[in-house]
Amino acid sequence: MKAFATIAWLVMRKDLTIEVRSREIVYTTLFFAVSCVLVFAFSFVRDGRALDDAAAGILWIAIAFAGTLALGRAFERERQSETLQALLLAPTDRPAIFTGKLLGLLILLGGVEIVLVPIVGLLFQAPIFARPMLLAFLLAAGTVGFVAVGTLFAAMLVRSKSRDVLLPVLLYPVTIPVIIAGVRGTAALFQAEVDEPMARLWITMLVAFDAVFVTLALWTFEPVMTE
Amino acid sequence: MTKLFVPAIALAAIMFAVAPWLINGAPYESTMGLVQKIFYFHLPSWFVMFTAVLTAGVAGAVHLFGRNARADRVALAAVEVAAVFGLIGLITGPLWARKAWGVWWQWDAKLTAALVLELILIAYMLLRRYGGPGSERLASGLAIFGMANVPFVYWAANLWRTVHPKPTVVPTLGPGMRGALWWCVAAFMLLGAAAFGARMRLERLRTEVDELYLED
Amino acid sequence: MDRIHTDRGLIEFDTLSFDDVSRRFGRRRALAHVTLECRAGEVIGLLGPNGAGKSTLLAIAATLMSPSTGAVRYGSLTARQAGGELRARIGLLAHDLYLYPELTAIENLEFFGRLYLLPDPRRRAEAALDRAGLASRAGEPVLAFSRGMRQRLALERALLHEPRLVLLDEPFTGLDDESSRRLIDRLSALRSGGAIVVVSTHDLEAVEGLVDRVAVLRDGRLAAVEQRPAALRDTYRRLV
């Protein structure tokens, strides 16, 4: 158990060290997310006012698209020196490596969201501070689900042909429940009359999704990664 | 399997030929009248699709964890059968909705969940086709994730739609309808099983050809 | 002597055997019915033209891939039977060097040291850098290194955990004469230490005199296995 945590921490720290040095993924992902928000804003803002619930939808679409980009880039990096092979060659529990990568990507995407949410709040006059704790929890729960499935899929596609296009093809259908819950929950929190019980319901669903799919990912990581 | 194929298809053909009579003989449903009768093809399609999806998910798990090559063929055949019958359901659904409620798509929970599931099935096929060698294991992983996803999609779509009023999709089953319904379910299941068997055989032959090709 | 645990609780084995190993990728056959046994205290040269299957064979030996048919045994155990601990006894230096370009030399070695749960990883990393002659460049990111320097660093990474089975895929690429000589000395030392060393290479002159046996692969098959060939180049030309 201790070895598991040590290895996961080691892998996460390595990923974050590399990212801090180059800052490539965090800059490009953030920029892409903001561009996304703008592009969608032009579609959904009329007479200077956004359509109802547009802010929630745009936020989550930006997270999903930017997240997919970050996932692809992170594993492309591993592929270039085949270092993922080196990680699999180590005598450690393979799920520990998965966990390390997952944590690194969560922190990365979390950082992007911290910048993105205020921007969305600003552009759409969305009340992000009405229920900040619930909003934070909702975003966290949704991000965990999305990134868990995404990390597994991105890892398993690392040696496939057409991996760039196959990642979104596989990821989006499977994470639709996360998107639905995220958008509707956020919309409930952005309403003029905040619908707390509804938001809590969506959060419950996200937590259940996370529990099931993180477990599934840990379970299938080893067989799916060995050729 | 080959020996059963022709009788199975023949039987299914006969059952489908007889079906219109039975459907005609069944009583009209109270609110929707004639239009409701599409239900006799719509519901059995879903039955076959869900059975196939379950088969695919289980076979995927067996292939991935048990390294069973035959299970992989089962998963592939099941996914294709599920996709076809799902498509039938997704076509008959809107046809029905259009006539019954005036709109093609209502975003009701079941139909939405079915659409998402269909996307996952198509993603499976794309992965196998374009993923290159070794994508069988990845596809089995996807099959497992897809199957685990079904309850969540349904839950989410259902919860989403409670905010809006929704029409009842499942009609009340009157006594005279049951016979026709089960007849059609049996016919569809038979057709599905025959298609599955044929696809399994095709895949097995393909594997054998590959093996012969590589023989020394 | 097949499966004893040393005082560090590690698996030991004396032989690496390929038992009718075949490997295919879709319709492409990479290896066909390879049967070979490698013993401890021996250096085996793996020769063959490009595409003969050398890298695939090494990858299978490293447990990165499983054979389509046949079995690979470490002592008397297969990879699956031996479990994850087996990987602690295997060192692989592949074509792709498995180094993180953004990390410094010392960071790379320390990372792998910790990944392999080695005691005192920092000190080991420093010692390894000394051996590679890269101590002065310890704090530089690997992307600034030349190919030869990266090769030397990658070799140290592969040997950091003192593996029993050492697999090297074209290790002489990009090395100058001095480094080649140092590598040969290193491999000889490993052989004396009782390791099983399998080296695939094109550089016949470099391994002449180093290898105890030569296995020649062609189109995925084992064309020949020769014991201590006197003139390697002639042998190779004859067999390929």
Side-chain angles (χ1 to χ4, degrees):
Chain A
M1 190 59 215
K2 181 166 182 294
F4 188 98
T6 313
I7 298 294
W9 179 260
L10 181 69
V11 172
M12 180 194 85
R13 218 184 53 181
K14 184 262 302 172
D15 277 346
L16 290 176
T17 309
I18 293 179
E19 186 50 37
V20 161
R21 290 216 185 134
S22 70
R23 287 183 291 277
E24 174 212 332
I25 297 184
V26 76
Y27 282 167
T28 51
T29 307
L30 189 54
F31 185 79
F32 179 73
V34 174
S35 307
C36 243
V37 168
L38 277 176
V39 167
F40 282 104
F42 295 132
S43 320
F44 295 118
V45 170
R46 198 212 298 200
D47 299 328
R49 273 198 73 251
L51 298 174
D52 278 346
D53 295 345
I58 291 171
L59 176 63
W60 280 92
I61 291 176
I63 292 174
F65 283 7
T68 309
L69 208 70
L71 284 164
R73 240 348 250 138
F75 279 94
E76 184 61 29
R77 209 185 245 166
E78 289 278 7
R79 201 184 70 81
Q80 267 163 2
S81 320
E82 292 279 7
T83 40
L84 196 57
Q85 297 273 50
L87 290 175
L88 292 173
L89 209 48
T92 53
D93 256 344
R94 266 78 180 259
I97 295 170
F98 171 82
T99 310
K101 287 231 144 292
L102 173 64
L103 290 173
L105 282 160
L106 277 176
I107 291 177
L108 186 76
L109 208 53
V112 169
E113 285 172 20
I114 287 177
V115 178
L116 202 60
V117 171
I119 289 179
V120 169
L122 195 76
L123 290 175
F124 299 101
Q125 290 93 44
I128 61 174
F129 293 115
R131 295 283 187 282
M133 292 310 290
L134 275 182
L135 183 63
F137 203 61
L138 181 71
L139 281 166
T143 309
V144 167
F146 185 82
V147 176
V149 179
T151 305
L152 182 78
F153 284 1
M156 80 185 195
L157 286 171
V158 102
R159 307 196 106 204
S160 296
K161 284 178 5 180
S162 313
R163 65 187 153 274
D164 300 316
V165 73
L166 280 177
L167 179 59
V169 163
L170 298 185
L171 186 57
Y172 292 152
V174 173
T175 50
I176 279 180
V178 173
I179 301 297
I180 295 178
V183 173
R184 299 322 310 171
T186 310
L189 290 174
F190 280 177
Q191 275 169 205
E193 292 215 359
V194 175
D195 192 349
E196 260 197 49
M198 202 64 205
R200 282 177 204 278
L201 224 87
W202 288 116
I203 291 178
T204 312
M205 190 180 92
L206 283 174
V207 172
F209 185 94
D210 293 348
V212 167
F213 280 85
V214 170
T215 311
L216 255 186
L218 284 169
W219 205 31
T220 56
F221 183 70
E222 169 140 23
V224 116
M225 290 305 293
T226 46
E227 279 182 68
Chain B
M1 190 116 298
T2 354
K3 292 192 284 284
L4 291 172
F5 183 71
V6 174
I9 287 287
L11 186 57
I14 294 171
M15 290 182 85
F16 274 106
V18 170
W21 264 262
L22 289 171
I23 295 173
N24 197 33
Y28 280 106
E29 202 260 344
S30 41
T31 48
M32 283 184 264
L34 182 64
V35 169
Q36 178 271 342
K37 298 213 173 199
I38 202 173
F39 153 84
Y40 293 101
F41 271 32
H42 180 76
L43 193 59
S45 307
W46 289 137
F47 267 46
V48 179
M49 192 225 199
F50 277 117
T51 315
V53 166
L54 231 78
T55 311
V58 169
V62 169
H63 168 68
L64 197 58
F65 293 102
R67 294 150 201 269
N68 188 331
R70 189 161 174 275
D72 176 50
R73 295 198 287 272
V74 170
L76 176 58
V79 164
E80 291 194 3
V81 169
V84 169
F85 283 87
L87 196 61
I88 295 176
L90 283 172
I91 292 174
T92 52
L95 282 175
W96 187 2
R98 173 74 177 148
K99 280 297 171 188
W101 306 299
V103 281
W104 293 104
W105 192 265
Q106 262 281 4
W107 291 109
D108 94 283
K110 288 196 184 71
L111 221 49
T112 307
L115 182 60
V116 173
L117 192 54
E118 185 79 13
L119 282 181
I120 296 178
L121 294 173
I122 296 175
Y124 178 99
M125 294 191 282
L126 287 173
L127 175 59
R128 286 202 69 137
R129 180 106 199 274
Y130 297 110
S135 45
E136 297 88 26
R137 320 205 77 202
L138 312 186
S140 292
L142 178 65
I144 298 172
F145 271 72
M147 196 177 78
N149 212 20
V150 173
F152 283 99
V153 179
Y154 191 71
W155 183 7
N158 220 2
L159 194 55
W160 177 36
R161 298 292 288 142
T162 52
V163 192
H164 307 267
K166 59 173 180 276
T168 42
V169 176
V170 180
T172 42
L173 265 184
M177 297 178 182
R178 250 168 257 265
L181 178 62
W182 289 119
W183 180 268
C184 288
V185 169
F188 266 85
M189 283 294 210
L190 200 55
L191 184 62
F196 174 80
R199 187 66 184 87
M200 275 284 287
R201 183 160 175 274
L202 175 63
E203 201 55 32
R204 185 173 51 82
L205 290 176
R206 190 176 291 179
T207 315
E208 278 177 21
V209 169
D210 274 349
E211 236 125 78
L212 286 173
Y213 180 81
L214 291 171
E215 200 140 281
D216 337 295
Chain C
M1 251 277 251
D2 277 347
R3 194 198 168 109
I4 57 161
H5 278 62
T6 63
D7 51 16
R8 259 172 72 193
L10 300 169
I11 296 178
E12 288 295 353
F13 50 91
D14 271 348
T15 56
L16 167 71
S17 30
F18 298 93
D19 202 355
D20 199 38
V21 165
S22 298
R23 172 76 201 194
R24 53 184 271 208
F25 295 100
R27 277 199 156 189
R28 186 174 69 86
R29 185 181 47 212
L31 289 174
H33 306 294
V34 173
T35 300
L36 178 68
E37 190 175 280
C38 312
R39 290 177 281 277
E42 184 179 36
V43 176
I44 303 236
L46 205 56
L47 305 180
N50 281 330
K54 308 193 293 291
S55 298
T56 310
L57 192 66
L58 289 174
I60 290 180
T63 74
L64 285 177
M65 264 186 238
S66 30
S68 307
T69 54
V72 180
R73 288 201 168 74
Y74 307 83
S76 60
L77 299 170
T78 61
R80 190 134 10 117
Q81 290 161 347
E85 310 169 327
L86 173 65
R87 299 197 292 270
R89 306 305 284 138
I90 301 176
L92 172 66
L93 176 59
H95 252 137
D96 311 287
L97 298 173
Y98 300 173
L99 293 172
Y100 289 101
E102 298 92 350
L103 295 180
T104 66
I106 186 92
E107 279 171 346
N108 262 289
L109 288 179
E110 238 192 288
F111 172 75
F112 282 102
R114 286 182 204 282
L115 189 67
Y116 278 74
L117 298 172
L118 298 176
D120 207 358
R122 179 94 197 179
R123 191 182 50 81
R124 279 178 187 249
E126 286 167 354
L129 279 178
D130 277 332
R131 277 196 297 273
L134 292 168
S136 54
R137 317 283 296 260
E140 285 179 39
V142 167
L143 44 80
F145 284 14
S146 66
R147 168 84 195 186
M149 286 163 71
R150 284 191 219 201
Q151 194 92 357
R152 276 148 52 196
L153 184 64
L155 177 69
E156 289 308 320
R157 185 203 50 77
L159 298 174
L160 199 63
H161 51 291
E162 290 163 18
R164 182 70 151 168
L165 172 62
V166 180
L167 306 162
L168 306 127
D169 199 347
E170 317 242 357
F172 293 98
T173 348
L175 290 186
D176 54 31
D177 284 340
E178 167 71 25
S179 311
S180 281
R181 250 196 318 272
R182 263 199 275 194
L183 176 56
I184 291 175
D185 290 338
R186 200 70 193 288
L187 295 180
S188 295
L190 285 172
R191 172 184 38 206
S192 314
I196 309 170
V197 181
V198 183
V199 183
S200 93
T201 183
H202 282 311
D203 194 344
L204 303 172
E205 268 123 28
V207 295
E208 201 145 27
L210 171 68
V211 298
D212 300 309
R213 271 197 295 158
V214 160
V216 181
L217 278 179
R218 190 173 43 180
D219 285 332
R221 284 174 195 290
L222 206 53
V225 180
E226 295 244 330
Q227 190 80 22
R228 270 189 212 286
L232 203 54
R233 190 168 285 282
D234 294 331
T235 309
Y236 187 57
R237 218 172 275 138
R238 183 168 47 88
L239 293 169
V240 171

